[in-house]
Amino acid sequence: MARPPPLGELPPGYTSPARSAAPQILAGSLKAPLWLRAYFQGLLFSLGCGIQRHCGKMLFLGLLAFGALALGLRVAIIETDLEQLWVEAGSRVSQELQYTKEKLGEEAAYTSQMLIQTPRREGENVLTPEALGLHLQAALTASKVQVSLYGKSWDLNKICYKSGVPLIENGMIERMIEKLFPCVILTPLDCFWEGAKLQGGSAYLPGRPDIQWTNLDPEQLLEELGPFASLEGFRELLDKAQVGQAYVGRPCLHPDDLHCPPSAPNHHSRQAPNVAQELRGGCHGFSHKFMHWQEELLLGGMARDSQGQLLRAEALQSTFLLMSPRQLYEHFRGDYQTHDIGWSEEQAGTVLQAWQRRFVQLAQEALPENASQQIHAFSSTTLDDILHAFSEVSTARVVGGYLLMLAYACVTMLRWDCAQSQGAVGLAGVLLVALAVASGLGLCALLGIAFNAATTQVLPFLALGIGVDDIFLMAHAFTEAPPGTPLQERTGECLQRTGTSVALTSINNMVAFFMAALVPIPALRAFSLQAAIVVGCNFAAVMLVFPAVLSLDLHRRHCQRLDVLCCFSSPCSARVIQILPQELGDRTVPVGIAHLTATVQAFAHCEASSQHVVTILPPQAHLVSPPSDPLGSELFSPGGSTRDLLGQEEGTRQKAVGRSLPCARWNLAHFARSQFAPFLLQSHTKLNCCFPQAMVLVLFGALLGLSLYGATLVQDGLALTDVVPRGTKEHAFLSAQLRYFSLYEVALVTQGGFDYAHSQRALFDLHQRFSSLKAVLPPPATQAPRTWLHYYRNWLQGIQAAFDQDWASGRITRHSYRNGSEDGALAYKLLIQTGDAQEPLDFSQLTTRKLVDKEGLIPPELFYIGLTVWVSSDPLGLAASQANFYPPPPEWLHDKYDTTGENLRIPAAQPLEFAQFPFLLHGLQKTADFMEAIEGARAACAEAGRAGVRAYPSGSPFLFWEQYLGLRRCFLLAVCILLVCTFLVCALLLLNPWTAVLIVLVLAVMTVELFGIMGFLGIKLSAIPVVILVASVGIGVEFTVHVALGFLTAQGSRNLRAARALEHTFAPVTDGAVSTLLGLLMLAGSNFDFIVRYFFVVLTVLTLLGLLHGLVLLPVLLSILGPPPEVVQMYKESPEVLSPPAPQGGGLRWSVSPTRPRSFARVTTSMTVAFHPPPLPGAYIHPASDEPTWSPAATPAGNGSSNLSSRGQCPAT
């Protein structure tokens, strides 16, 4: 039956089950925490022994299960939609966004493609004809882009967004308008005749050259067509829109152009225009009233004189608007051009994407490299391409990272000693972790957790670094098995010693990532959940499958096979000769040691003339004082190897032929025991014995103080320029846009649930309150507010004025309106409406009511009827207002010459459930600016809510920046909850609140220092650093809990226990840190500076901080404030605890204790003689009867020396 080894043979990190611990432990009574931990370790011991007995089955089943889960990666979905990634599900913004989509659909009304021109020389003025000429060259190249798809050619005029195309009854005019109606292009070229060159539409009329905007004078054209068609309504429409002569009445940028129209103001003078003067106040599209492009949309880096007049600018911007995929699909659905290609919305999206990519490519190549200006182009597809590239898995980096980790694990665990080498274990461990990571991600895919850029770019490397830590810890523990451990109990003993630490770190990591899921960002929440699940899979692999790998490797060593190349036999022998105990007689014994087990190195060589190995013991059996140790006689490892005692042969005259080289004896554990721990925990001077500890506390206190100052430097925010790779054209565009054109289109959305007709005053007040915000770009003083309610009211006032004139002149009477104007007739029809379904018309109201009262309000009974008329009669005003009504008002065509009277009945629009006021926000450079604007907008909506108007702001600033309003509070809450959870988990598994408090204290200090270092590095606080900061608490447990557990279960003074904990945990903790850094190293090669700065740098700093705090600060705190030991070694026969005096001179003093019973003057010495290299403890042992018996009688008395020879078969070579 498997049994745990006795306590006396265990290292400090191990506590045996209660049944074997009772004889060795007395501290009044067996402590409950120790008993509970012993019980838990007993379960782990049984688990390990069971795995070892069935290691092949466990390995097969484990690989089968993890492999099956890894197949879930086939159904993984990578999310690249910004709204789905960054808008919290169920939040206020999410509910508002969902409401918008329910009313308007999934897509925006249009997509923007932008050109920004900047001078190559910093600060140069672009308001010159030459600079605008280069801008025209680039814009013209972009506007002529064509792509061929599905056997059709697609140009700008087919796919551009056209605002407010009017409905005309005359078929010929309607077709001409459809071809000529201009695309919406916001460009500084619209101030000049050259802006017409960007419009590609054309129409043909008999007897005239092709009509284009470069030669179209709408006023002249209407006069020519007047005799052939009734165009009075269309003429009034153009007059209301203030189209005038359109582009031919504007100055020519280059008056020497042969096509410069004679109607241009500078055509005859041939003088170049004053560009700054022409651009002052902005430009207009073909409609002066409804298409006004403000200066801020066109010019960047503007400078003005003392009177506010524009002098110069450093950037130009042109924006091309395209239809959305749905609009393009609807536009060509049923058209003869697409009837033969199975036209679909997906095909429409493909056409737009292809055109946008070509647009960006040609625009960037439009200017020669030696030009004085440079063009930066960008489209919505460019952003999508960046997000897709950001989310793609870099196979080369993943493979490179895992190969690097394989090489490190193999090299660090290889030994010259074939019996001690674990290279194959390292390789298998890394591959197992890789499979566990894949299975965890596959499980996430099966659970429906969408992947994102953080999952694909970061998680494979972070999970690898964290997972390999436990592999190194368990492998180190397996090689340091206590002497005498039976072979069949080796895996159980390893799990017994390391299982608690592995469970503690893994549980804390999972809790940390689950707490990070509190961050209200879907992308980061998904990343945190995926990380927690992957850590859980790593935990299962390390606890259930990796012990099977260790058991198989133990079998390999027992069978004397080579490491890695296990098919070949090892030239190393593992035969062991057990020398029977002998008495030391009257020799003195170490003070305070009741039972001493010493191991003596024998030397072996194979005789050339035979197949036998000759083993020779040292000439004289005697005990030698250990080398000087700064910590005194307390610090030596009971589990030390024979290599340690080999160094004590300095007093022996005969030199050992097989003595190891110093470099072969050095390792991290040796460094920790002989150099690091003595230096850290005890001074070499007697005057100031606490000097190193004091220095450590002072240095870490200074680091904490600097970090607190650095924390004040941390700013909130995450700009798109941080995500896009530096040095790319996309990054150059975004940098220029952020610097010169920090404008954001937003809308103030009004919902349903209230009566618009009776809430007009509240709507006007809401608009006024929102317009007064600091960030809102005010309209020019000469322009009315650009909202649907203002446009609607102004239109009603205009037709009321026309009616009044027609009524006063007699053209409109009570019974007839046919002689009046179009506007007068419309007013007539509206004035007689009652809104009553039973009696809808009342002609007596013609002179008793107004369409707009003295207070500027529309009569409620006319509100929805008039809305139908306005939407149908003023398409340009409706388009300019961007009202996006839902439900949309019904279509209604006005016919002034209708004689049936049916045209007098106007259907009322349904009550509105959605409408919006558009605004432009400017001057938003820092996150604080965004937060101020968001808070002001929310306050305005809340004030309107108290007046009965339900409204909310909409736009990218509210989607992506509103998270910062509560981000710090969420961060502090998550960290505090996590620290409390970490305390509870540590206190529960360690069963020592004192130790748990120290661990949590160190973790809190680490988090504060990491946050402060972010401030010094210029890393802004966003949801991504918050996740790392929260996860740092769990990752930091990897560096602290092993040391704390080793200290807690060790014996002796605080210094001794801290030193022993360092000796046993220094190597695995350091290897774990190096493995984490190697896992993160691949992130440094990412093309995205965002990955390097926000993940690689932050996680590397976190790893280094964890290493320093776990191996420097925590041991010092434990040596000063650590809890008392749980185990106290006592003599079995004596109830009195013998406290040995402090050693003098740092060495062991050998004498008989005067208080010790005489029977304790006899020390049993058990000597194990091993062939070189030393075998694994617990390896195959020959029966005692097969070996010669060595007794004191066999020692010649003459010279006091004895030589023992043992002969056996020399292993074949």
Side-chain angles (χ1 to χ4, degrees):
M1 180 177 177
R3 61 172 181 83
L7 183 66
E9 298 175 356
L10 297 180
Y14 170 76
T15 302
S16 61
R19 66 175 186 272
S20 61
Q24 287 87 4
I25 308 170
L26 284 175
S29 63
L30 191 63
K31 294 182 178 180
L34 186 62
W35 184 89
L36 291 174
R37 193 180 305 114
Y39 178 78
F40 179 64
Q41 289 177 329
L43 297 178
L44 292 173
F45 178 80
S46 301
L47 174 64
C49 292
I51 293 175
Q52 184 172 351
R53 285 195 301 270
H54 307 285
C55 56
K57 299 176 183 177
M58 288 298 299
L59 183 60
F60 173 76
L61 292 177
L63 295 180
L64 184 64
F66 286 124
L69 288 176
L71 293 177
L73 289 172
R74 300 177 61 183
V75 299
I77 300 175
I78 298 180
E79 183 63 71
T80 58
D81 186 356
L82 274 178
E83 293 179 357
Q84 297 296 325
L85 290 173
W86 290 98
V87 179
E88 178 189 4
S91 65
R92 176 176 61 183
V93 175
S94 176
Q95 294 173 0
E96 295 167 352
L97 182 63
Q98 183 63 31
Y99 185 86
T100 301
K101 289 182 176 181
E102 288 178 0
K103 305 306 178 184
L104 297 184
E106 296 289 332
E107 298 175 340
Y110 51 81
T111 59
S112 300
Q113 333 321 304
M114 290 163 283
L115 299 179
I116 293 180
Q117 176 179 317
T118 58
R120 294 189 182 275
R121 291 184 180 181
E122 184 73 20
E124 191 172 293
N125 184 24
V126 297
L127 299 185
T128 63
E130 294 76 16
L132 276 175
L134 292 175
H135 193 74
L136 172 64
Q137 179 180 341
L140 193 59
T141 301
S143 67
K144 302 303 179 184
V145 169
Q146 290 187 357
V147 294
S148 296
L149 284 174
Y150 312 114
K152 312 294 179 183
S153 178
W154 305 88
D155 58 15
L156 177 63
N157 196 53
K158 288 184 178 180
I159 65 175
C160 70
Y161 175 74
K162 298 181 179 182
S163 173
V165 180
L167 297 177
I168 305 296
E169 292 183 351
N170 188 298
M172 179 188 69
I173 300 299
E174 184 180 10
R175 287 190 296 272
M176 185 178 68
I177 290 177
E178 183 179 356
K179 293 180 179 180
L180 274 177
F181 204 83
C183 300
V184 178
I185 304 175
L186 289 70
T187 174
L189 297 170
D190 274 348
C191 282
F192 307 93
W193 166 77
E194 281 78 3
K197 294 184 177 181
L198 303 183
Q199 304 293 343
S202 63
Y204 172 74
L205 287 177
R208 289 180 57 93
D210 285 350
I211 301 175
Q212 298 178 347
W213 283 102
T214 54
N215 60 16
L216 173 61
D217 184 344
E219 294 178 347
Q220 181 181 355
L221 179 63
L222 289 177
E223 289 180 2
E224 294 177 0
L225 295 178
F228 307 100
S230 176
L231 300 175
E232 182 181 353
F234 185 56
R235 186 191 302 274
E236 288 189 7
L237 179 65
L238 295 182
D239 290 340
K240 290 179 182 179
Q242 301 176 10
V243 173
Q245 291 183 303
Y247 289 98
V248 296
R250 302 175 188 181
C252 294
L253 188 62
H254 300 290
D256 295 331
D257 191 328
L258 296 178
H259 299 287
C260 179
S263 54
N266 62 341
H267 171 76
H268 301 289
S269 65
R270 301 294 178 180
Q271 293 183 355
N274 185 329
V275 174
Q277 182 177 354
E278 295 294 336
L279 287 172
R280 186 179 304 149
C283 299
H284 296 85
F286 79 96
S287 168
H288 278 255
K289 181 177 181 180
F290 298 119
M291 295 182 176
H292 177 254
W293 323 134
Q294 295 178 246
E295 288 179 350
E296 290 79 3
L297 293 171
L298 309 176
L299 307 177
M302 292 180 287
R304 304 178 185 274
D305 60 16
S306 56
Q307 284 76 34
Q309 301 299 317
L310 180 65
L311 292 179
R312 60 195 314 276
E314 298 180 10
L316 302 172
Q317 177 175 258
S318 291
T319 304
F320 295 74
L321 302 187
L322 303 184
M323 287 187 281
S324 66
R326 176 172 290 277
Q327 284 180 327
L328 184 61
Y329 164 71
E330 294 289 347
H331 182 73
F332 283 100
R333 185 174 62 172
D335 191 272
Y336 73 94
Q337 300 180 65
T338 58
H339 74 280
D340 59 336
I341 62 175
W343 183 241
S344 65
E345 188 173 343
E346 182 179 357
Q347 290 176 324
T350 302
V351 169
L352 290 172
Q353 291 176 358
W355 193 92
Q356 289 170 342
R357 292 189 180 98
R358 188 64 175 164
F359 167 89
V360 172
Q361 177 186 356
L362 292 182
Q364 291 173 341
E365 299 172 354
L367 300 185
E369 294 184 0
N370 59 354
S372 61
Q373 307 286 315
Q374 54 186 347
I375 292 293
H376 311 289
F378 197 81
S379 71
S380 56
T381 299
T382 306
L383 181 59
D384 293 337
D385 292 341
I386 291 173
L387 291 176
H388 279 94
F390 191 48
S391 302
E392 289 179 354
V393 179
S394 176
T395 305
R397 287 197 296 116
V398 171
V399 172
Y402 278 71
L403 288 177
L404 184 62
M405 188 67 74
L406 283 170
Y408 174 76
C410 183
V411 169
T412 55
M413 301 180 75
L414 276 175
R415 298 289 185 273
W416 292 109
D417 178 358
C418 302
Q420 300 291 333
S421 183
Q422 290 182 301
V425 170
L427 293 175
V430 174
L431 292 176
L432 179 62
V433 170
L435 180 61
V437 172
S439 66
L441 293 176
L443 179 58
C444 294
L446 293 174
L447 293 175
I449 304 176
F451 289 17
N452 55 68
T455 306
T456 59
Q457 296 280 340
V458 178
L459 190 54
F461 306 105
L462 178 60
L464 174 65
I466 294 176
V468 173
D469 294 354
D470 294 331
I471 295 293
F472 280 115
L473 177 67
M474 195 169 288
H476 275 282
F478 198 78
T479 59
E480 296 179 354
T485 304
L487 188 67
Q488 65 273 17
E489 298 177 1
R490 288 295 307 280
T491 306
E493 187 275 335
C494 178
L495 269 185
Q496 191 174 30
R497 287 193 295 151
T498 61
T500 302
S501 294
V502 172
L504 192 58
T505 56
S506 298
I507 292 174
N508 272 285
N509 274 326
M510 286 189 287
V511 171
F513 283 114
F514 279 127
M515 287 298 103
L518 292 176
V519 176
I521 305 299
L524 281 308
R525 179 169 291 171
F527 171 77
S528 302
L529 293 176
Q530 290 161 346
I533 292 174
V534 168
V535 169
C537 290
N538 277 338
F539 177 49
V542 171
M543 292 294 287
L544 299 177
V545 183
F546 188 64
V549 174
L550 292 174
S551 301
L552 290 175
D553 187 69
L554 181 65
H555 181 71
R556 185 269 307 170
R557 286 187 278 174
H558 176 64
C559 295
Q560 302 179 23
R561 298 286 183 178
L562 283 175
D563 189 19
V564 182
L565 304 175
C566 56
C567 295
F568 299 95
S569 298
S570 170
C572 308
S573 174
R575 294 184 59 209
V576 176
I577 300 174
Q578 180 71 33
I579 306 300
L580 295 180
Q582 63 172 324
E583 297 181 358
L584 296 180
D586 296 333
R587 298 180 182 182
T588 58
V589 296
V591 175
I593 297 180
H595 186 276
L596 173 67
T597 300
T599 306
V600 180
Q601 176 71 53
F603 309 100
H605 67 275
C606 188
E607 295 179 353
S609 60
S610 65
Q611 295 294 320
H612 292 83
V613 175
V614 179
T615 303
I616 304 174
L617 286 173
Q620 184 175 2
H622 65 281
L623 294 174
V624 184
S625 173
S628 175
D629 191 339
L631 284 176
S633 61
E634 292 180 312
L635 183 54
F636 65 93
S637 172
S641 67
T642 56
R643 197 183 320 167
D644 300 328
L645 288 178
L646 186 60
Q648 302 175 11
E649 289 295 319
E650 297 177 358
T652 307
R653 294 182 179 180
Q654 181 178 353
K655 294 185 178 180
V657 178
R659 188 169 182 175
S660 303
L661 296 174
C663 62
R665 295 198 305 269
W666 191 93
N667 55 34
L668 289 174
H670 180 269
F671 168 75
R673 178 177 62 252
S674 61
Q675 299 179 24
F676 183 73
F679 171 78
L680 181 66
L681 300 174
Q682 181 173 327
S683 175
H684 295 286
T685 64
K686 296 182 179 180
L687 296 178
N688 193 357
C689 60
C690 296
F691 180 74
Q693 291 96 322
M695 286 299 300
V696 167
L697 295 178
V698 169
L699 291 176
F700 276 90
L703 178 59
L704 179 61
L706 285 175
S707 301
L708 290 173
Y709 171 72
T712 63
L713 304 178
V714 177
Q715 298 179 355
D716 295 342
L718 178 63
L720 195 55
T721 51
D722 295 329
V723 179
V724 178
R726 294 182 182 271
T728 61
K729 295 179 179 180
E730 293 79 7
H731 187 274
F733 171 87
L734 293 172
S735 299
Q737 186 187 46
L738 182 63
R739 177 178 179 182
Y740 296 115
F741 300 100
S742 185
L743 289 171
Y744 297 87
E745 293 185 0
V746 299
L748 183 59
V749 175
T750 52
Q751 303 172 260
F754 71 96
D755 188 355
Y756 280 70
H758 290 87
S759 303
Q760 296 176 57
R761 176 58 60 194
L763 289 171
F764 283 121
D765 292 342
L766 173 60
H767 176 268
Q768 179 60 35
R769 193 177 298 111
F770 203 92
S771 301
S772 62
L773 296 180
K774 174 183 175 182
V776 172
L777 181 65
T782 58
Q783 183 179 353
R786 194 164 56 99
T787 70
W788 67 268
L789 193 55
H790 289 87
Y791 281 137
Y792 177 27
R793 185 182 65 179
N794 294 344
W795 178 82
L796 288 176
Q797 290 173 335
I799 64 173
Q800 178 71 60
F803 172 82
D804 292 341
Q805 291 179 1
D806 291 341
W807 182 272
S809 62
R811 290 191 297 269
I812 292 180
T813 64
R814 179 184 177 90
H815 303 290
S816 175
Y817 54 81
R818 292 181 186 136
N819 295 327
S821 63
E822 291 286 336
D823 285 352
L826 280 174
Y828 179 95
K829 294 180 180 181
L830 283 174
L831 286 170
I832 63 176
Q833 304 296 319
T834 64
D836 187 355
Q838 301 296 329
E839 298 181 0
L841 303 178
D842 184 359
F843 293 92
S844 65
Q845 297 180 153
L846 285 172
T847 57
T848 60
R849 71 186 306 182
K850 296 290 184 181
L851 297 179
V852 179
D853 62 21
K854 296 180 180 180
E855 296 180 358
L857 302 179
I858 304 168
E861 63 274 11
L862 282 179
F863 186 86
Y864 286 109
I865 298 175
L867 192 63
T868 298
V869 178
W870 174 63
V871 168
S872 301
S873 305
D874 190 16
L876 290 176
L878 176 65
S881 71
Q882 301 179 30
N884 288 327
F885 292 130
Y886 183 86
E891 290 187 1
W892 177 80
L893 288 178
H894 166 61
D895 183 4
K896 189 173 72 169
Y897 302 101
D898 175 59
T899 59
T900 63
E902 288 298 323
N903 199 240
L904 294 177
R905 298 181 180 271
I906 304 174
Q910 299 181 39
L912 294 177
E913 298 178 15
F914 184 96
Q916 61 184 24
F917 299 151
F919 292 93
L920 281 174
L921 302 184
H922 72 126
L924 303 181
Q925 296 287 340
K926 300 179 180 179
T927 303
D929 301 330
F930 285 93
M931 294 175 65
E932 181 182 357
I934 292 171
E935 290 173 346
R938 290 294 182 185
C941 292
E943 183 68 24
R946 288 188 283 271
V949 174
R950 299 177 57 193
Y952 63 85
S954 175
S956 58
F958 304 97
L959 288 179
F960 306 122
W961 274 270
E962 188 154 344
Q963 57 176 289
Y964 294 103
L965 294 178
L967 185 62
R968 296 202 175 215
R969 179 185 56 81
C970 180
F971 163 57
L972 292 176
L973 177 63
V975 169
C976 292
I977 293 176
L978 180 55
L979 289 175
V980 172
C981 292
T982 302
F983 170 78
L984 295 176
V985 171
C986 292
L988 181 64
L989 293 184
L990 296 179
L991 298 169
N992 192 302
W994 191 338
T995 305
V997 168
L998 291 179
I999 292 176
V1000 169
L1001 175 63
V1002 173
L1003 294 177
V1005 170
M1006 280 180 53
T1007 305
V1008 172
E1009 291 174 353
L1010 179 61
F1011 188 72
I1013 292 175
M1014 284 173 47
F1016 288 115
L1017 295 177
I1019 297 176
K1020 297 178 181 179
L1021 184 67
S1022 63
I1024 294 175
V1026 164
V1027 168
I1028 298 177
L1029 286 166
V1030 175
S1032 68
V1033 178
I1035 297 174
V1037 174
E1038 298 273 356
F1039 303 99
T1040 56
V1041 74
H1042 305 310
V1043 177
L1045 186 59
F1047 176 88
L1048 192 61
T1049 56
Q1051 305 172 26
S1053 66
R1054 285 193 175 101
N1055 272 16
L1056 169 64
R1057 292 156 61 207
R1060 283 181 172 175
L1062 277 176
E1063 177 187 357
H1064 286 275
T1065 60
F1066 189 89
V1069 170
T1070 303
D1071 281 336
V1074 174
S1075 68
T1076 302
L1077 291 175
L1078 289 177
L1080 299 174
L1081 185 60
M1082 290 298 101
L1083 299 178
S1086 174
N1087 295 328
F1088 294 90
D1089 182 66
F1090 169 78
I1091 294 293
V1092 177
R1093 284 171 52 81
Y1094 282 80
F1095 283 101
F1096 171 72
V1097 172
V1098 176
L1099 289 172
T1100 299
V1101 171
L1102 169 60
T1103 303
L1104 297 177
L1105 286 176
L1107 198 61
L1108 288 175
H1109 288 74
L1111 297 181
V1112 179
L1113 178 61
L1114 182 60
V1116 169
L1117 291 178
L1118 290 172
S1119 68
I1120 299 173
L1121 303 173
E1126 294 181 341
V1127 182
V1128 178
Q1129 181 99 14
M1130 303 183 69
Y1131 292 107
K1132 293 182 290 184
E1133 290 83 1
S1134 174
E1136 181 182 0
V1137 180
L1138 301 176
S1139 301
Q1144 303 295 329
L1148 287 173
R1149 184 163 56 85
W1150 301 89
S1151 63
V1152 180
S1153 172
T1155 61
R1156 182 174 301 154
R1158 182 64 181 172
S1159 61
F1160 276 82
R1162 185 185 303 273
V1163 178
T1164 302
T1165 305
S1166 176
M1167 295 182 293
T1168 302
V1169 181
F1171 294 122
H1172 181 78
L1176 188 69
Y1180 181 76
I1181 301 177
H1182 287 281
S1185 60
D1186 294 340
E1187 305 295 345
T1189 301
W1190 184 30
S1191 65
T1195 305
N1199 53 13
S1201 63
S1202 66
N1203 293 337
L1204 176 66
S1205 298
S1206 170
R1207 295 184 180 271
Q1209 293 297 322
C1210 184
T1213 57

